[in-house]
């Protein structure tokens, strides 16, 4: 079945919403089956367990913006 250009454009406009919904669903499904999840909160990497407890893994370094073609040297 071929989709019209209008239908394709409508679906493409909703990709961010669909992606966010998929992320939330995967997060809760992982906890429901007994797995832990990892997320960043206020610059800190945290492991969250199904019982609601959490463990701080480490503080993350601040992010920064770079321009296309910009080189970063350490």
């Amino acid at each position: 079945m071929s989709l019209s250009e209008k239908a394709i454009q409508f679906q493409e406009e909703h990709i961010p919403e669909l992606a966010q919904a998929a992320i939330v669903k995967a997060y809760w499904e992982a906890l429901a089956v007994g797995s832990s999840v990892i997320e960043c909160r206020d610059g800190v990497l945290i492991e969250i367990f199904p019982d609601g407890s959490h463990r701080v893994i480490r503080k993350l370094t601040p992010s920064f913006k770079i321009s296309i073609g910009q080189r970063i040297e350490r």
Side-chain angles (χ1 to χ4, degrees):
M1 179 177 181
S2 174
L3 292 175
S4 70
E5 185 64 31
K6 186 176 180 179
I8 292 171
Q9 185 176 7
F10 177 81
Q11 289 180 348
E12 287 177 347
E13 290 172 356
H14 290 84
I15 287 173
E17 297 164 19
L18 295 170
Q20 180 62 34
I23 291 168
V24 170
K25 182 178 183 240
Y27 177 95
W28 290 109
E29 285 180 357
L31 292 174
V33 298
S35 298
S36 62
V37 293
I38 296 176
E39 68 178 64
C40 176
R41 289 186 186 169
D42 300 321
V44 178
L45 200 60
I46 298 174
E47 182 176 16
I48 301 169
F49 299 96
D51 66 359
S53 63
H54 66 278
R55 174 180 70 96
V56 173
I57 296 172
R58 69 182 173 107
K59 184 175 181 181
L60 300 173
T61 57
S63 61
F64 55 93
K65 292 185 178 185
I66 60 169
S67 303
I68 295 174
Q70 180 180 354
R71 295 186 73 164
I72 300 174
E73 298 185 28
R74 290 185 168 237

